[in-house]
Amino acid sequence: MTILRTIDPTIAVAPQISPDAMGELAAAGFAAIVNNRPDGEDMGQPSGAEIAAAAEAAGLTYTAIPVTHAGFSHPQIDAMAAVLAEAKGPVLAYCRSGTRSCNLWALAVVKGGMHPDTAMTKAAAAGYDLTGLRPLFDALSTPA
């Protein structure tokens, strides 16, 4: 079974998943897969196209929102928010370790109106420390 960290009933994050895990993820109730890894990040990692084909064959939607060492952008945050809003059930987001996926989820929900403390508490319960993102959360949650 894929190692999952559930953040709340709408989202879980995971390290790299394999194409053969899609049936298991669909059976577990997931509706959507979000890939936060750029292709070629590690030798031997499945390509986004391989994951997408397997996800779609299992009845899951697939979205690629690759996050590199350059960090997070508003288009990435908005794309994650759109996936969360449009998903017909729980979303599984993955990257190398799950950290980028958790961070992107938190940025998206804070930008969408969740209080930063709530996002940080949910992430902490799943094993992620988002303290370093607090200045970004505060900037996203401050009315313009």
Side-chain angles (χ1 to χ4, degrees):
M1 176 67 170
T2 303
I3 299 168
L4 306 178
R5 292 189 184 189
T6 301
I7 296 172
D8 72 20
T10 67
I11 181 86
V13 298
Q16 178 67 57
I17 57 176
S18 65
D20 63 2
M22 294 306 129
E24 179 177 22
L25 294 168
F30 287 96
I33 303 295
V34 176
N35 176 1
N36 295 131
R37 290 191 84 177
D39 276 344
E41 187 175 58
D42 280 332
M43 293 285 292
Q45 108 190 31
S47 70
E50 291 173 281
I51 298 289
E56 290 166 10
L60 301 165
T61 62
Y62 171 88
T63 306
I65 309 171
V67 177
T68 67
H69 66 279
F72 302 95
S73 67
H74 281 283
Q76 290 167 318
I77 295 167
D78 294 342
M80 185 66 160
V83 169
L84 294 168
E86 295 165 11
K88 304 290 187 233
V91 174
L92 175 69
Y94 76 92
C95 58
R96 184 185 319 207
S97 68
T99 302
R100 280 175 283 184
S101 296
C102 180
N103 291 353
L104 186 57
W105 162 82
L107 291 165
V109 296
V110 167
K111 186 174 181 182
M114 183 181 286
H115 193 281
D117 290 344
T118 303
M120 292 175 71
T121 298
K122 288 182 177 201
Y128 295 99
D129 179 1
L130 303 186
T131 306
L133 292 179
R134 187 59 194 241
L136 286 173
F137 294 153
D138 291 342
L140 288 171
S141 62
T142 302

